[in-house]
Amino acid sequence: DGGITQSPKYLFRKEGQNVTLSCEQNLNHDAMYWYRQDPGQGLRLIYYSQIVNDFQKGDIAEGYSVSREKKESFPLTVTSAQKNPTAFYLCASSPSGLSGHYGYTFGSGTRLTVV
Amino acid sequence: AQTVTQSQPEMSVQEAETVTLSCTYDTSENNYYLFWYKQPPSRQMILVIRQEAYKQQNATENRFSVNFQKAAKSFSLKISDSQLGDTAMYFCAFLQGGSEKLVFGKGTKLTVNP
């Protein structure tokens, strides 16, 4: 079955450490996205990529970095510069162009906690 | 920038009854798409319904329907015959035509009571 796989489901980070969240899709979608979800805040866009080797900052990119070396993969690194990284992180994908207007497909998320 | 507002942080409804969740949005464009997503306790985001702004007819998916009022920039979700499995966070979302960025509201937590 086609879908998006996020791993790990739960992740614990010590202060000052960088951690990388994995997102893989086998839907042959061109565009991929990372959102952060906090209670009462909805979903906020961190980074997005419309094509391999290209990505753009979203609304809250500070303290995060991404890469898009393969169409299927869009990993998110939470750096030590992110002062409040504890949150639920959702990865999504969509076809590009008009097909993308049918909405995103989401992964099951990663819960990151700073210890 | 487009904004999406969900004015009801929490709502509750009795099983088998009907409930309406509100959503308003702000845009100066005419070409856009609106969505309702459901996030149950599993936290998996599920697309419930989609509306194209240029279509006047309100979208319907089984027990879920929308009331799309383009002039008022309103996009409410009606859930008929509510079921316990409808208990979830519901997010309204906006996508500008030609854009790839989906903008979400802050969500409404719906609880269906037996």
Side-chain angles (χ1 to χ4, degrees):
Chain A
D1 287 339
I4 297 180
T5 301
Q6 288 188 244
S7 62
K9 191 175 179 67
Y10 300 96
L11 187 58
F12 298 90
R13 188 195 95 168
K14 293 183 179 180
E15 289 196 21
Q17 280 185 337
N18 292 353
V19 291
T20 298
L21 284 59
S22 171
C23 178
E24 304 275 336
Q25 55 101 356
N26 60 4
L27 299 166
N28 200 33
H29 285 172
D30 292 308
M32 297 187 73
Y33 312 83
W34 275 105
Y35 282 88
R36 169 177 172 145
Q37 184 176 14
D38 297 281
Q41 293 291 325
L43 278 70
R44 293 181 291 169
L45 183 64
I46 304 172
Y47 267 98
Y48 65 104
S49 168
Q50 295 175 280
I51 196 170
V52 173
N53 292 322
D54 188 40
F55 48 82
Q56 288 78 40
K57 293 182 179 179
D59 301 317
I60 56 165
E62 185 175 352
Y64 300 97
S65 66
V66 294
S67 63
R68 186 86 187 275
E69 298 177 0
K70 298 185 300 181
K71 186 176 184 178
E72 301 78 18
S73 179
F74 191 42
L76 173 73
T77 297
V78 184
T79 74
S80 57
Q82 171 50 239
K83 298 307 179 187
N84 185 22
T86 293
F88 187 66
Y89 292 86
L90 281 162
C91 180
S93 72
S94 70
S96 61
L98 292 176
S99 298
H101 298 158
Y102 287 87
Y104 294 0
T105 301
F106 282 86
S108 56
T110 293
R111 173 69 183 177
L112 173 63
T113 303
V114 173
V115 297
Chain B
Q2 288 81 21
T3 58
V4 178
T5 302
Q6 294 180 248
S7 59
Q8 306 149 315
E10 294 193 38
M11 294 190 71
S12 63
V13 64
Q14 292 299 122
E15 195 175 5
E17 294 188 345
T18 296
V19 64
T20 299
L21 308 184
S22 300
C23 173
T24 58
Y25 57 94
D26 184 25
T27 183
S28 57
E29 304 294 329
N30 281 316
N31 180 26
Y32 54 88
Y33 303 81
L34 295 161
F35 306 85
W36 279 98
Y37 279 87
K38 169 185 177 181
Q39 187 181 43
S42 68
R43 306 202 78 170
Q44 178 71 52
M45 294 285 284
I46 302 164
L47 178 63
V48 175
I49 202 164
R50 168 184 175 271
Q51 176 79 40
E52 299 171 357
Y54 62 86
K55 288 188 176 180
Q56 292 187 337
Q57 186 174 5
N58 289 324
T60 299
E61 289 288 342
N62 300 313
R63 297 183 295 107
F64 298 88
S65 61
V66 298
N67 183 7
F68 175 46
Q69 300 290 327
K70 190 172 184 178
K73 298 180 183 177
S74 171
F75 183 61
S76 61
L77 175 69
K78 186 173 81 171
I79 305 174
S80 304
D81 185 26
S82 296
Q83 300 175 0
L84 296 178
D86 295 334
T87 292
M89 285 290 292
Y90 286 83
F91 292 97
C92 181
F94 173 98
L95 179 66
Q96 185 65 53
S99 169
E100 303 282 350
K101 295 168 59 177
L102 197 57
V103 178
F104 287 85
K106 294 186 177 183
T108 296
K109 183 179 180 181
L110 176 67
T111 301
V112 180
N113 298 309

